[in-house]
Amino acid sequence: MSTTADTLAPLHADMTAWRRDFHAHPELGFQETRTAGRVAALLEACGIPVTRGVGRTGVVGTLKVGSSPRRIGLRADMDALPIAEANAFAHRSTHAGLMHACGHDGHTAMLLGAATQLARTKHFDGTVHFIFQPAEEGQGGAKAMIDDGLFERFPCDSLFGMHNRPRLAVGRFAVRSGPMMAGGGFFDIHVTGRGAHGARPETGIDAALVAAQIAVSIQSIVARNIAPLDNAVVSVTRIHAGDAYNVIPQTAELGGTVRAFSRDTMQAIENHLRRVAEGTAAAYGATATLDFRVPFAPTINDPEQAEFAAAICSELVGADQVDRNPPLIMASEDFSFMLEKVPGCYLNIGNGIAEGGCEVHNPAYDFNDQALPLGAAFFVRAVEARLAAA
Ligand code: NI
């Protein structure tokens, strides 16, 4: 008998209770001590050995059945956001100024449900690593786990993760092959000129003017240096120079963000940013330096793993409920760094079009508990199929 969402129905009440408990106790990235403690305790209660403190507050549970050397990784994120919750329901946040506005409470509960089910049924032959990641919201939790030896200590042949998607009906999945979500870069440009009296520009080099020219010239990068069929954006979102009306500033700073769907395009934009900043500054007799960092790699699904994930989804809900060509997402996700190490797939599960359907990162958001059994069923079926007993 094959696992379906109905198979997980007996765990629906437990998953809902865990999810609402996490929702009521949100914690920011690398501060998920209560959440991680609860995750570890629930895994251990099912007899799953647990490693704590992987990438600071991360937790990995490892369930080995049989003798096959095959291994699969399943990942959920645990952190919340610095948003004051606007909801009034009973499980609303009890931590002032913090809330689970991205559904990571639900992702964690779904993976705990799958772990509980797999520990009971053991219908597979091989090793499953349940990866509970901290600090997804821009603080580098995935990289912290990788740098802590995640895939050396817990090797995986394939890797799967899931994010809820508002405005996709409960009971639906969306699975893309190849690029799925943009990589995100943050940059700072430091301009140095020569300060002067505001009435005597001939004695100085105006860093504010140079910064303004750089900001304008940066907009030529996507327009003139990136292929029209590629997708990228560069936004200057910060410009700071000067403190007084009568002083030409000696220094100026610009900052902003880059989004693109391949490492090559991200690298090309970084190179052009440096050329434009340094060259423009030089034209005015100033200097400029670029600081560029990539907190989010592009999220790129391995085609074979995406086909596998889509097949599992079709088995669970029917092919007509699986969107195989959803639009590219300009937002970013740090599961991308794990997908650069292990072939895998990140997919979306419907969070509903009405109740619970408001956008993520909104103060009225809530994860839709109706999606829990299906999300857990995906993880269970992925294990049973990838590590099928002979
Ligand atoms: Ni999220």
Side-chain angles (χ1 to χ4, degrees), residues 9-59:
L11 282 170
H12 197 176
D14 279 345
M15 286 191 281
T16 300
W18 301 333
R19 206 283 294 176
R20 293 184 178 190
D21 175 66
F22 295 136
H23 192 92
H25 303 92
E27 296 170 303
L28 291 179
F30 294 125
Q31 298 171 26
E32 308 94 333
T33 50
R34 182 188 184 278
T35 308
R38 187 119 172 80
V39 164
L42 286 164
L43 292 171
E44 284 174 338
C46 318
I48 297 174
V50 167
T51 306
R52 294 170 168 78
V54 183
R56 294 167 66 181
T57 42
V59 173

Side-chain angles (χ1 to χ4, degrees), residues 191-194 205-207 210 250 277-288:
V191 177
T192 304
R194 187 164 63 241
I205 297 172
D206 186 350
V210 174
Q250 170 141 324
E278 292 176 354
T280 303
Y284 290 85
T287 58

Side-chain angles (χ1 to χ4, degrees), residues 326-350:
L328 289 166
I329 299 172
M330 231 47 227
S332 303
E333 159 64 52
D334 84 347
F335 186 56
S336 55
F337 290 106
M338 295 189 184
L339 290 177
E340 288 186 333
K341 301 288 182 190
V342 178
C345 179
Y346 199 53
L347 56 149
N348 286 143
I349 181 168

Side-chain angles (χ1 to χ4, degrees), residues 187-223:
F187 65 86
D188 288 293
I189 296 168
H190 305 276
V191 177
T192 304
R194 187 164 63 241
H197 193 291
R200 298 190 60 217
E202 76 280 9
T203 65
I205 297 172
D206 186 350
L209 175 65
V210 174
Q213 296 289 0
I214 291 173
V216 171
S217 298
I218 279 173
Q219 289 310 319
S220 70
I221 293 174
V222 172

Side-chain angles (χ1 to χ4, degrees), residues 66-360:
S67 56
S68 167
R70 295 170 301 181
R71 306 138 322 174
I72 185 173
L74 307 173
R75 174 274 202 179
D77 41 14
M78 301 189 290
D79 57 322
L81 284 158
I83 295 174
E85 180 154 12
N87 295 311
F89 45 60
H91 62 278
R92 68 184 175 276
S93 171
T94 58
H95 296 173
L98 305 183
M99 80 174 281
H100 272 291
C102 203
H104 300 184
D105 48 349
H107 306 160
T108 298
M110 289 192 291
L111 189 53
L112 283 170
T116 304
Q117 178 73 7
L118 286 162
R120 283 180 191 167
T121 54
K122 296 188 168 71
H123 288 156
F124 65 95
D125 183 9
T127 301
V128 189
H129 297 300
F130 302 97
I131 300 167
F132 292 88
Q133 185 207 300
E136 191 284 325
E137 298 285 359
Q139 302 122 305
K143 268 186 78 65
M145 292 191 89
I146 292 166
D147 292 346
D148 202 5
L150 176 66
F151 295 121
E152 290 77 34
R153 296 159 71 190
F154 311 99
C156 300
D157 304 315
S158 59
L159 189 61
F160 300 91
M162 200 184 310
H163 205 291
N164 75 94
R165 182 183 284 197
R167 288 183 289 122
L168 183 67
V170 171
R172 291 187 67 93
F173 289 102
V175 187
R176 266 192 85 98
S177 190
M180 174 194 175
M181 299 176 73
F186 292 156
F187 65 86
D188 288 293
I189 296 168
H190 305 276
V191 177
T192 304
R194 187 164 63 241
H197 193 291
R200 298 190 60 217
E202 76 280 9
T203 65
I205 297 172
D206 186 350
L209 175 65
V210 174
Q213 296 289 0
I214 291 173
V216 171
S217 298
I218 279 173
Q219 289 310 319
S220 70
I221 293 174
V222 172
R224 301 291 86 183
N225 300 121
I226 301 301
L229 291 177
D230 201 351
N231 299 285
V233 63
V234 182
S235 293
V236 176
T237 56
R238 303 154 53 94
I239 302 182
H240 298 289
D243 297 301
Y245 289 102
N246 58 353
V247 177
I248 290 170
Q250 170 141 324
T251 61
E253 312 227 346
L254 300 85
T257 190
V258 170
R259 304 290 159 127
F261 288 91
S262 75
R263 282 280 197 176
D264 286 350
T265 302
M266 301 275 288
Q267 184 63 56
I269 290 173
E270 178 184 347
N271 296 346
H272 288 301
L273 277 171
R274 183 167 288 107
R275 176 180 57 77
V276 166
E278 292 176 354
T280 303
Y284 290 85
T287 58
T289 58
L290 173 75
D291 175 40
F292 191 89
R293 48 209 184 274
V294 180
F296 297 99
T299 302
I300 299 171
N301 288 329
D302 178 83
E304 187 190 326
Q305 305 300 336
E307 287 306 315
F308 169 79
I312 297 291
C313 293
S314 296
E315 185 189 304
L316 289 170
V317 295
D320 59 333
Q321 299 298 309
V322 183
D323 186 351
R324 289 307 321 277
N325 192 26
L328 289 166
I329 299 172
M330 231 47 227
S332 303
E333 159 64 52
D334 84 347
F335 186 56
S336 55
F337 290 106
M338 295 189 184
L339 290 177
E340 288 186 333
K341 301 288 182 190
V342 178
C345 179
Y346 199 53
L347 56 149
N348 286 143
I349 181 168
N351 200 52
I353 49 178
E355 186 192 352
C358 80
E359 290 298 329
V360 295

